[in-house]
Amino acid sequence: MLLSMFALLTIQFAMFRLMPGDPSASIVSGSLTREVQQQLRESWGLDKPLYVQYLNYVANICKLDFGVSFFKRVPVIEIIGYRFWNTIIFMFIAMVWANIFGVVLGIISVARRNKGGDTALLLLGSVARATPLFITGIMIIIVFSFWLDWFPSGGMHTIGFYSETLIGKFLNLDFLQHVILPIFVSSIFYFTIPFFVMRTAMLEYIGEDYIALAKAKGQSNVNILIKHVARNALNPVVTSTAMAIGFAISGQVIVETVFRWPGMGKELVYSTLRRDYPVIQGAFFMLGIIVIFMNYIADLLYVYLDPRIRYTGHD
């Protein structure tokens, strides 16, 4: 995990310096005199060799110092710190629901394989996966916000809402009303990953010899399906879920933009348009850490799901 973080830092540092254009153009205007431009570059450390900039960059990241926003002129950590939790809470709830529905529907699909229920679920999964997130989001807003007027069309709170604590910002009815539609749209799209993976894995395990032995012992079909087949099929689901976090982050940009959710995705869009490189780098790093951490958690879950796996130094 630490090596992955180091690679993320290095790639991110190189990526923004290989992009066309001069990153310093956002803060150093060409209308200024050369002396003033040089002074600004020196104050930002942009006049130093790349390896010195890299070492300073790594040292600052280790202290969670992402620099100062070119556009807002405030520390980046203040900008992304607020939006980071907005995205984490939203993404966590959406992914939990998506995986619960995906796993449950995958089991139902296998239990009803080659029947009408299985066909209907496969059709639902295919349509949900093929429909772009922004199309689903717009349709949901039209139906539930404009036609039925059940939920707000966007935002995270009603205008004028205020909470002094982080917990109070999320644990209230106003937040729940605003978050239901974005979570619903994300869950519709991302439930398809655990659904298809679970269904495919279970169909493979059903043909194994130990399943035939369990049937010969007189175990019920439900017990075999849940205890033997479904549990073994959860390993690839955990793997796919950890990998899906990366795709969810890119999809989060779309969902947050459609629903005007004040999260990291929306801030990334605006910062990219403004060429606010410190904010973009800070946001990319924080989102990359989420992906790395989720893959680490997935590795640890393997031990619980499959007792045959052990992390030891012995053969």
Side-chain angles (χ1 to χ4, degrees):
M1 184 171 66
L2 294 176
L3 287 175
S4 298
M5 292 180 182
F6 177 75
L8 173 65
L9 281 174
T10 305
I11 293 173
Q12 183 175 263
F13 177 84
M15 180 176 65
F16 284 98
R17 281 150 184 82
L18 292 174
M19 291 174 62
D22 182 7
S24 65
S26 301
I27 55 173
V28 182
S29 173
S31 61
L32 300 174
T33 63
R34 290 186 178 181
E35 291 76 12
V36 175
Q37 292 183 29
Q38 183 62 25
Q39 290 177 3
L40 286 173
R41 287 192 171 91
E42 290 176 0
S43 65
W44 288 91
L46 298 174
D47 63 317
K48 295 180 173 61
L50 277 179
Y51 75 91
V52 176
Q53 293 185 38
Y54 174 73
L55 293 176
N56 291 336
Y57 172 72
V58 173
N60 290 333
I61 289 293
C62 290
K63 297 183 293 185
L64 291 181
D65 181 4
F66 300 105
V68 177
S69 167
F70 290 167
F71 182 78
K72 298 182 179 180
R73 306 297 182 181
V74 297
V76 172
I77 193 65
E78 294 183 10
I79 298 174
I80 64 177
Y82 166 77
R83 291 165 177 79
F84 177 76
W85 289 111
N86 296 347
T87 293
I88 289 297
I89 297 297
F90 172 31
M91 181 185 295
F92 176 77
I93 299 174
M95 294 303 292
V96 167
W97 278 111
N99 279 275
I100 291 175
F101 283 123
V103 169
V104 171
L105 293 179
I107 295 174
I108 295 174
S109 179
V110 172
R112 304 289 298 173
R113 61 188 181 280
N114 301 324
K115 296 180 181 179
D118 182 28
T119 303
L121 287 175
L122 287 174
L123 179 61
L124 172 65
S126 299
V127 172
R129 189 63 183 170
T131 306
L133 269 170
F134 70 92
I135 294 294
T136 305
I138 292 173
M139 292 174 60
I140 292 297
I141 289 174
I142 291 174
V143 173
F144 291 98
S145 295
F146 295 125
W147 291 355
L148 300 177
D149 195 24
W150 287 357
F151 302 101
S153 61
M156 194 173 77
H157 290 109
T158 303
I159 296 177
F161 176 88
Y162 175 75
S163 175
E164 295 182 354
T165 63
L166 182 65
I167 296 178
K169 185 174 70 172
F170 299 113
L171 296 182
N172 58 79
L173 183 60
D174 186 65
F175 173 78
L176 180 62
Q177 291 176 333
H178 284 78
V179 80
I180 285 178
L181 291 188
I183 286 178
F184 184 56
V185 171
S186 295
S187 299
I188 288 176
F189 186 79
Y190 292 112
F191 97 90
T192 58
I193 298 176
F195 169 69
F196 284 117
V197 172
M198 189 72 178
R199 183 180 185 278
T200 302
M202 288 184 67
L203 290 176
E204 292 178 356
Y205 284 117
I206 279 180
E208 295 292 334
D209 293 338
Y210 69 89
I211 300 299
L213 178 61
K215 291 180 179 178
K217 290 182 177 180
Q219 295 188 28
S220 65
N221 289 334
V222 174
N223 186 60
I224 292 173
L225 201 64
I226 301 298
K227 185 177 180 180
H228 298 287
V229 181
R231 177 166 182 175
N232 289 331
L234 283 176
N235 266 347
V237 172
V238 171
T239 303
S240 64
T241 299
M243 296 176 63
I245 296 295
F247 296 103
I249 288 173
S250 61
Q252 207 76 356
V253 176
I254 300 173
V255 175
E256 289 182 0
T257 302
V258 171
F259 286 95
R260 294 180 286 111
W261 189 265
M264 298 277 281
K266 186 178 178 182
E267 184 62 31
L268 266 175
V269 173
Y270 291 153
S271 297
T272 302
L273 294 175
R274 295 191 293 248
R275 294 190 130 192
D276 199 341
Y277 290 100
V279 176
I280 299 172
Q281 287 187 146
F284 275 168
F285 178 75
M286 297 300 290
L287 294 176
I289 290 298
I290 297 174
V291 177
I292 294 171
F293 181 73
M294 289 305 299
N295 279 275
Y296 177 69
I297 295 298
D299 285 342
L300 297 181
L301 285 175
Y302 291 155
V303 181
Y304 171 75
L305 295 174
D306 190 348
R308 296 170 299 177
I309 299 176
R310 289 292 180 269
Y311 293 94
T312 64
H314 304 286
D315 293 331

